[in-house]
Amino acid sequence: MQILHTSHIGGFMEKKGKFIVLEGGEGSGKSTCIGVLKERLPLIFGAHAFLFTREPGGTAIGENIRRILMSKDPGLEHMQPLTELMLFCAARTEHVQTVINPALQNGTHIVCDRFDASTIAYQIDALERNDLRSDFEILNALALGHRSRKVFHQWMGGPHPDIYIILDVDPWVGLERTAEAKGKDTTRFDDKEIAFHVRVRESFLRFAQIHPESAVVLNANMAQEDVVQEVLDIILSVVDS
Ligand code: TMP
């Protein structure tokens, strides 16, 4: 059974807005970048043209799932990899069905802080759980609303990002930035060993190689203003296309 990556598949859903995803390892500068985009994009396109959201999160249920997933509380921090994968996909289900799909159908553009490339990077590649890849493909396709069970090898129906902008940072630099910015408020993902973060980075770079039509890698080691400008230019060209 071959299940194609969802970003390759045209959906049934009428999608009028553009779906833009920002991805990257810890300390890649996504949050700073999104902060600037929140100020600048409304000035260019109007106050309601863009919706900013994030994963895991973006809905009340998703934000509660996020609390569990990020927690370092004893009893929550050790989770079965399949449970973790399912929780990310559960949060995504709620997010796609109640926020992303309606907004895109309405003509609103979306900037989403992380999406399914993060699940591949963190829950499959960084955890070295290649055995979960086909489970991911099914759970993610369901989360995206793909429902063509009779033609199981051709998932169709849900939204797929127009572009994944991957902010690529040296994991050592990224973790230093994270420690500076968050102090003790790191998540259990921030606290993983360096080898984990190196695998996250390699996974994002591989994702971009596999999906050259919908993924672009930016060097996030350069000055923050330059990164933001490049992200802005990409978004302007995607919205114009
Ligand atoms: P962030 O919003 O500060 O980037 O934190 C979200 C964390 O969640 C980050 O460490 C990456 C992780 N994550 C996954 O492990 N899998 C996923 O599918 C997503 C969306 C995020």
Side-chain angles (χ1 to χ4, degrees):
M1 176 176 73
Q2 191 205 2
I3 301 176
L4 299 175
H5 187 276
T6 49
S7 71
H8 279 168
I9 298 166
F12 293 129
M13 188 196 82
E14 205 194 339
K15 176 170 147 307
K16 297 189 193 139
K18 299 289 185 185
F19 186 6
I20 294 146
V21 171
L22 258 78
E23 298 273 18
E26 312 306 331
S28 59
K30 270 185 310 95
S31 307
T32 315
C33 190
I34 288 173
V36 178
L37 295 176
K38 278 182 180 167
E39 285 172 13
R40 293 215 204 142
L41 287 173
L43 297 178
I44 304 171
F45 293 97
H48 305 295
F50 276 82
L51 177 73
F52 291 86
T53 186
R54 70 173 180 178
E55 290 218 349
T59 65
I61 291 171
E63 292 294 334
N64 275 286
I65 293 175
R66 182 186 178 96
R67 260 192 317 109
I68 297 171
L69 282 165
M70 300 301 135
S71 177
K72 295 195 285 187
D73 287 354
L76 287 181
E77 68 171 335
H78 297 296
M79 192 179 292
Q80 289 297 304
L82 180 59
T83 308
E84 186 176 302
L85 173 63
M86 291 202 282
L87 286 178
F88 276 108
C89 290
R92 182 161 305 136
T93 304
E94 202 61 27
H95 194 204
V96 167
Q97 307 306 327
T98 68
V99 174
I100 293 179
N101 275 353
L104 292 175
Q105 279 167 333
N106 208 16
T108 305
H109 306 304
I110 294 201
V111 174
C112 189
D113 185 347
R114 297 191 183 278
F115 201 60
D116 51 4
S118 278
T119 320
I120 300 171
Y122 286 79
Q123 280 65 54
I124 310 285
D125 290 329
L127 281 182
E128 300 184 291
R129 291 301 301 254
N130 208 32
D131 58 309
L132 293 180
R133 197 173 297 272
S134 56
D135 297 329
F136 157 76
E137 285 169 351
I138 293 170
L139 291 167
N140 194 50
L142 291 171
L144 267 60
H146 296 176
R147 289 293 182 269
S148 299
R149 300 267 174 67
K150 281 186 191 154
V151 281
F152 214 46
H153 57 293
Q154 284 187 344
W155 293 95
M156 297 179 86
H160 52 96
D162 293 283
I163 189 93
Y164 292 84
I165 304 173
I166 297 169
L167 303 190
D168 179 45
V169 72
D170 178 332
W172 278 269
V173 174
L175 289 181
E176 254 173 46
R177 285 183 187 165
T178 304
E180 255 172 52
K182 295 191 182 172
K184 285 194 178 141
D185 292 334
T186 52
T187 68
R188 75 187 174 88
F189 293 99
D190 299 321
D191 289 358
K192 300 270 189 194
E193 74 281 6
I194 188 77
F196 179 94
H197 295 286
V198 170
R199 290 193 291 272
V200 166
R201 180 187 189 206
E202 289 167 352
S203 177
F204 281 133
L205 295 178
R206 203 160 39 243
F207 182 88
Q209 273 179 351
I210 297 170
H211 303 291
E213 74 298 337
S214 61
V216 58
V217 177
L218 294 185
N219 176 3
N221 298 297
M222 59 188 180
Q224 191 70 50
E225 311 88 76
D226 297 339
V227 178
V228 173
Q229 191 55 52
E230 286 210 25
V231 171
L232 199 55
D233 289 346
I234 293 168
I235 294 179
L236 295 181
S237 75
V238 168
V239 169
D240 265 358
S241 64

